Amino acid sequence: MTSVLYDAPGPKAKRRNVLFSVVFFVLLALLLWWVWQTLDEKNQLEWSLWKPFTTSEAWTTYLLPGLADTLKAAALAMVIALPLGAVLGILRLSDHRWVRIPAGAVVEFFRAIPVLLLMLFANEFYVRSTGIPSDERPLYAVVTGLVLYNASVLAEVVRAGILSLPKGQSEAAMAIGLRKSQTMSSILLPQAVTAMLPAIVSQLVVIVKDTALGGVMLGFTELLNTRSTLAANYANVIPSFIVVAVIFIVLNFILTSFASWLEGRLRRSKRSTGAVLGAEKVDDLNAAELGSGTGTGDATH
């Protein structure tokens, strides 16, 4: 039995795959055991280091406020970067050079600069050129850097998703007289969304994680920044890192799970129902089309 992408594995390949899987899980178990033993030798598994996370003070004073700022910055960056990236991606496909070339230059410029450098530039700009309060400035700088970088990356995702569609889609739209803007909004973009969704979600996960850069360099009170304050108060550096890592894993798992559900829903909505129209239904449809065509012709005359 074969597939479009690969041949089905035979008996030897199946045995080899099972062997590799067993070896991998054994090595993974050994690695986890080594990590556990190392933490135990360094007294990092003592209950006194983990006990603060069972109290409300550690969460309400440190972790939850930091998590709220992380989600706030990520949400703002997502809401702005997604439509901006879509616009830039569509502009890069324009037939007009005076539109396509500047859009391409913007995308390539901001995609080439590290997101941390964009945050630092944005922070200096807000310090020297605006009257934004100092306590709000890190949030503005973090969101600005995330938007500029991720919008340029999402622009390439959108452009690649649209170009991946069969050329027959655009040719059919041209054949029935649709303009390029109508073809893009009504035909190409709706079909490309499903294909682009995994890459878009991957970039949204990157946005959530990159908020930590603002905490390291700009003093933005996100989750990782508040963790350092918590660790200083309770002297539990390693446990605090583990707890914050678990929180990030849960956040990104929820995001990717929602995206998988949405992708499946979009794919199911685009499938045909498989219903067979009877002769009467076909006649009714033909009559309706003839009637609308006659009305259009009369209106034209």
Side-chain angles (χ1 to χ4, degrees), residues 38-297:
T38 303
L39 292 176
D40 190 30
E41 292 175 0
K42 301 295 183 179
N43 299 321
Q44 293 297 320
L45 299 179
E46 293 182 357
W47 174 243
S48 60
L49 299 179
W50 296 88
K51 186 178 179 180
F53 299 109
T54 62
T55 63
S56 61
E57 181 182 0
W59 292 92
T60 57
T61 305
Y62 303 104
L63 295 179
L64 291 181
L67 178 60
D69 284 346
T70 293
L71 294 177
K72 181 180 179 180
L76 288 173
M78 291 177 189
V79 169
I80 301 173
L82 278 172
L84 181 59
V87 171
L88 289 173
I90 293 172
L91 291 180
R92 292 205 67 181
L93 297 173
S94 175
D95 294 331
H96 305 287
R97 295 183 61 186
W98 61 272
V99 174
R100 184 177 64 252
I101 293 177
V106 170
V107 169
E108 295 299 332
F109 177 79
F110 287 111
R111 195 174 58 155
I113 301 177
V115 64
L116 179 57
L117 195 57
L118 290 174
M119 292 180 184
L120 294 174
F121 273 124
N123 186 65
E124 287 299 316
F125 171 78
Y126 291 133
V127 169
R128 301 175 184 274
S129 304
T130 66
I132 299 174
S134 58
D135 57 336
E136 297 179 6
R137 197 179 300 129
L139 173 63
Y140 281 77
V142 168
V143 172
T144 302
L146 291 175
V147 167
L148 293 177
Y149 177 77
N150 290 281
S152 61
V153 175
L154 289 170
E156 288 299 285
V157 173
V158 171
R159 187 172 72 95
I162 294 174
L163 291 177
S164 67
L165 296 175
K167 295 181 66 174
Q169 302 287 337
S170 301
E171 294 171 353
M174 293 174 59
I176 61 176
L178 293 181
R179 295 190 299 272
K180 188 169 183 179
S181 59
Q182 295 173 321
T183 302
M184 185 68 68
S185 61
S186 302
I187 297 176
L188 298 182
L189 271 180
Q191 294 184 69
V193 166
T194 305
M196 296 186 297
L197 197 56
I200 291 176
V201 173
S202 298
Q203 202 58 36
L204 297 183
V205 170
V206 171
I207 291 178
V208 174
K209 294 187 295 184
D210 282 351
T211 56
L213 297 175
V216 174
M217 296 299 297
L218 301 177
F220 177 52
T221 55
E222 47 77 45
L223 185 58
L224 200 60
N225 183 282
T226 55
R227 179 223 60 84
S228 62
T229 308
L230 181 147
N233 287 340
Y234 293 103
N236 56 353
V237 176
I238 299 299
S240 64
F241 273 124
I242 295 174
V243 170
V244 169
V246 170
I247 293 175
F248 273 111
I249 291 172
V250 171
L251 279 177
N252 293 327
F253 177 76
I254 293 173
L255 185 61
T256 53
S257 298
F258 172 74
S260 299
W261 171 82
L262 182 61
E263 182 182 5
R265 185 179 179 86
L266 290 175
R267 290 187 184 278
R268 287 192 299 270
S269 66
K270 292 180 180 180
R271 293 175 184 171
S272 173
T273 59
V276 178
L277 295 179
E280 296 179 357
K281 293 290 185 181
V282 173
D283 292 338
D284 292 341
L285 289 175
N286 291 333
E289 290 179 0
L290 289 174
S292 62
T294 303
T296 305

